[in-house]
Amino acid sequence: TSGMPHWTPASFAPNVPATPVLEATWTGLDGSLEVAVPEAARDLTAYDALTFRTAPEEDVADGTDLVVTLTDGAGDTWSAPVSDLNPLAVERMPASGSTTLDKIVLQQVTVPTASLTGIDATDVVSVSFAPAVGTDGTQAGGVYLADLALATSSVGTADPSGPRPVVDVAT
């Protein structure tokens, strides 16, 4: 019945390692978190997708959105709101009555490398995350971020832009 993040050790398994997670909070739109891409990994065309996991932090009532931006060596950028890539990643799980599903669960966000237009996808130097104005018009928010990675499909034909399986517990 608690809103404990799903990656923390459980009371019945306290020695299970937790997932390293970054917590970022903001009160305006003037900042960002930038991750430099190592030189050996800057050619994103060798991968099917860039992925990361995120969830609104517990102090955010309904959810919060981010803008993910990729920058190439020439300074050109590609950006998209996380809500366009995976709407569930920016929403809190529901809670009602005596049933508390208001858990903090990281949701995967997938950026297909084929969608990276306007930049040189063979020379991506950074990935950054910035706040977006919330649905209630506020600029405050906070998220957890984890597992920023480049992914390649190892089985069958890769289609990271296709429909993803979703379980909706809200209704």
Side-chain angles (χ1 to χ4, degrees), residues 30-99:
D30 56 349
S32 68
L33 167 70
E34 186 173 341
V35 179
V37 176
E39 192 169 336
R42 290 184 179 168
D43 183 359
L44 273 56
T45 61
Y47 302 93
D48 297 321
L50 175 106
T51 64
F52 59 94
R53 296 191 305 151
T54 187
E57 61 132 24
E58 60 270 14
D59 293 332
V60 176
D62 296 320
T64 190
D65 204 356
L66 289 171
V67 174
V68 59
T69 301
L70 281 70
T71 305
D72 68 14
D76 294 323
T77 61
W78 174 94
S79 296
V82 169
S83 58
D84 287 354
L85 301 167
N86 180 355
L88 297 177
V90 299
E91 297 177 8
R92 291 294 306 273
M93 292 187 74
S96 64
S98 62
T99 303

Side-chain angles (χ1 to χ4, degrees), residues 25-33 63-69 81 128-143:
T25 59
W26 58 87
T27 56
L29 299 174
D30 56 349
S32 68
L33 167 70
T64 190
D65 204 356
L66 289 171
V67 174
V68 59
T69 301
S128 63
F129 301 91
V133 176
T135 56
D136 62 356
T138 64
Q139 298 175 346
V143 295

Side-chain angles (χ1 to χ4, degrees), residues 94-155:
S96 64
S98 62
T99 303
T100 304
L101 292 175
D102 192 22
K103 305 290 186 187
I104 299 168
V105 178
L106 294 171
Q107 300 287 331
Q108 181 165 314
V109 178
T110 301
V111 178
T113 55
S115 71
L116 301 177
T117 57
I119 64 170
D120 180 359
T122 66
D123 187 29
V124 175
V125 297
S126 69
V127 178
S128 63
F129 301 91
V133 176
T135 56
D136 62 356
T138 64
Q139 298 175 346
V143 295
Y144 291 105
L145 289 167
D147 303 329
L148 178 62
L150 293 167
T152 301
S153 175
S154 60
V155 178

